[in-house]
Amino acid sequence: MRPPTARDLPQGGRLALLLAALAWVPGGTPACPALCTCYVSPPTVSCQANNFSSVPAGLPPGARRLFLQNNVIGALRAGTFGPSTVTLWLYSNNISSIQPGTFRHLPALEELDLGDNPHLRVLAPDTFHGLRRLQALHLYRCQLASLPSAIFRGLHSLQYLYLQENGLLYLQDDLFADLANLSHLFLHGNRVRALSEGVFRGLPSLDRLLLHANRLVAIHRRAFRGLARLTILYLFNNSLAALPGDPLAALPALQFLRLNANPWACDCRARPLWAWFRRTRVSSSPVPCASPPHRRGTDLRHLRPRDFDACPEHEEEEDGGGGVAVMGTPGRALGRPGTLPAAPPSAFYRDGLPPHDLRGPQPRPPPPSRDSRGPPGDARCPRAPCGPTAAATPCQPHLLLPLLGLLLPQL
């Protein structure tokens, strides 16, 4: 007696079996959105460069990486992204508004890239509140003229902050006071004119501070106090004529300093900076004098002690230093020194972005070098369910396909 087959079932039974097979999707994960590519491990949705004007509907709630860059998305709304999201790339879109609460329920988020959105001019004070695990925040090449005082409040895990090439006019005291684990702060290419006493308060872990290509004319003598771990400081291409009060003395770990392309005055005002160079060993750019005329082109570092014979012994003020007005108001208590392990540079520090920016404004960058399309050689699997598996491969055809092949001819 032969075993029963699908042909032995009545037609209604065969149809019911087919529908049951189609409905049985392991893990119950939803399909990949149209025009996107999904990968299994880690759960990834790549919707980049598809001319989307809004975030596509039907994003799998379990996705950990969402790549939505290089589209024309104009607005972000609350409830769009799932709580499992770890990496969210939204750079190079047309984002002009972010609805309050858009990122509030993303407890796992570690990297958020909103850079290169030239229509993003205003951020609400609570835009990033609740992102306790956020380690990298990209806000470069937007049109932000100012930042709310509380914009970075509570981001205790943040290590990389990209604010370059905006239109920032000033930085208020205690803006970064909650960022005790911040190691990289990029502020170049803005329009900041002065650094006040408390602008960098609360940054004990800061290693790299880029302030070049601004409009700096004055730096408070205590602006860098507390930056005991800072190793790289860029102040080139500003409008600095002097550094009254020896502000660099607060940087015991400094290794690399760039001061070129400033109109340095090599008269009595140069003595604090000249004296600092004599007692420290720092790799520095040239510091060419712009005035007085007979010293123009001379490197400030190479002045001689007799060049300051006519200068008074103590010309700096005891307090206030350089007449820089302190912007903002005293802030909250400072955070404790950072205790988080440093994030791997390859994870959040994009080798192709900040170093290139050191040369000044660049054309819109290509997508970062990190592979956002999955492992090499992967085949596209559009609209296929992606559930967690051990292998880092795109979705594979389900084992039910042979069964469906047997059932369909019988209907």
Side-chain angles (χ1 to χ4, degrees):
M1 182 176 181
R2 64 180 179 85
T5 65
R7 190 183 297 274
D8 298 323
L9 295 173
Q11 185 173 1
R14 293 199 297 268
L15 180 59
L17 181 60
L18 174 63
L19 294 176
L22 290 173
W24 183 37
V25 178
T29 54
C32 192
L35 302 180
C36 299
T37 305
C38 294
Y39 298 91
V40 175
S41 182
T44 300
V45 181
S46 178
C47 301
Q48 58 181 321
N50 277 308
N51 207 36
F52 286 123
S53 60
S54 60
V55 177
L59 293 175
R64 298 187 62 198
R65 302 192 302 172
L66 298 178
F67 300 137
L68 294 158
Q69 70 271 21
N70 292 303
N71 285 291
V72 290
I73 297 170
L76 301 178
R77 306 192 181 282
T80 303
F81 308 111
S84 299
T85 307
V86 174
T87 301
L88 179 55
W89 290 2
L90 288 157
Y91 65 84
S92 299
N93 275 282
N94 289 333
I95 297 171
S96 61
S97 65
I98 301 176
Q99 187 180 52
T102 295
F103 307 120
R104 188 168 298 154
H105 301 294
L106 303 180
L109 192 64
E110 294 181 0
E111 182 180 14
L112 174 59
D113 193 335
L114 292 165
D116 197 22
N117 277 286
H119 302 291
L120 187 59
R121 295 180 172 88
V122 178
L123 293 172
D126 61 349
T127 299
F128 307 118
H129 285 191
L131 300 180
R132 299 185 181 277
R133 296 186 61 179
L134 191 67
Q135 297 182 39
L137 176 58
H138 304 257
L139 291 167
Y140 57 90
R141 293 196 187 107
C142 299
Q143 292 295 322
L144 301 170
S146 63
L147 295 168
S149 296
I151 189 70
F152 304 123
R153 186 171 297 172
L155 302 185
H156 302 296
S157 298
L158 197 66
Q159 298 181 40
Y160 298 86
L161 180 55
Y162 297 82
L163 292 167
Q164 70 267 29
E165 295 188 28
N166 280 283
L168 295 174
L169 299 171
Y170 63 92
L171 302 168
Q172 58 268 45
D173 281 356
D174 298 308
L175 179 63
F176 310 110
D178 273 3
L179 308 184
N181 287 288
L182 194 71
S183 64
H184 290 60
L185 179 54
F186 298 100
L187 289 162
H188 52 284
N190 285 289
R191 294 184 286 173
V192 179
R193 294 180 57 84
L195 299 178
S196 56
E197 179 179 1
V199 64
F200 299 123
R201 193 155 42 210
L203 297 176
S205 302
L206 196 64
D207 175 80
R208 185 167 306 187
L209 177 58
L210 307 189
L211 287 158
H212 57 281
N214 274 278
R215 300 180 182 180
L216 289 172
V217 296
I219 297 177
H220 194 281
R221 65 194 300 264
R222 289 190 289 269
F224 301 132
R225 181 171 293 184
L227 305 184
R229 299 183 187 178
L230 192 73
T231 65
I232 297 176
L233 176 62
Y234 285 176
L235 289 167
F236 67 90
N237 196 15
N238 277 288
S239 299
L240 294 167
L243 291 179
D246 204 6
L248 300 180
L251 304 174
L254 193 64
Q255 299 178 21
F256 302 98
L257 175 66
R258 290 191 63 180
L259 295 172
N260 53 297
N262 281 287
W264 295 108
C266 290
D267 49 23
C268 293
R269 290 173 289 175
R271 186 164 64 177
L273 182 56
W274 170 80
W276 179 82
F277 274 116
R278 283 171 61 90
R279 66 178 184 266
T280 57
R281 292 185 178 182
V282 172
S283 177
S284 170
S285 67
V287 189
C289 301
S291 63
H294 65 280
R295 291 178 183 163
R296 185 173 300 152
T298 302
D299 195 316
L300 182 150
R301 299 172 300 172
H302 301 155
L303 296 177
R304 299 158 298 182
R306 68 171 179 264
D307 293 327
F308 302 102
D309 283 348
C311 299
E313 287 298 320
H314 302 287
E315 70 274 10
E316 299 95 16
E317 301 176 19
E318 290 299 321
D319 292 296
V324 181
V326 178
M327 302 181 201
T329 56
R332 304 174 312 284
L334 307 185
R336 292 179 296 175
T339 56
L340 289 178
S346 60
F348 299 120
Y349 182 80
R350 297 184 189 169
D351 293 335
L353 183 63
H356 288 188
D357 288 350
L358 303 186
R359 300 195 300 265
Q362 299 292 312
R364 175 174 284 205
S369 57
R370 293 174 297 180
D371 186 3
S372 60
R373 293 186 176 272
D378 283 348
R380 292 173 64 90
C381 182
R383 305 193 63 80
C386 291
T389 66
T393 57
C395 306
Q396 301 293 330
H398 190 253
L399 295 177
L400 290 175
L401 289 181
L403 175 60
L404 297 179
L406 294 174
L407 287 173
L408 286 173
Q410 313 302 325
L411 295 177

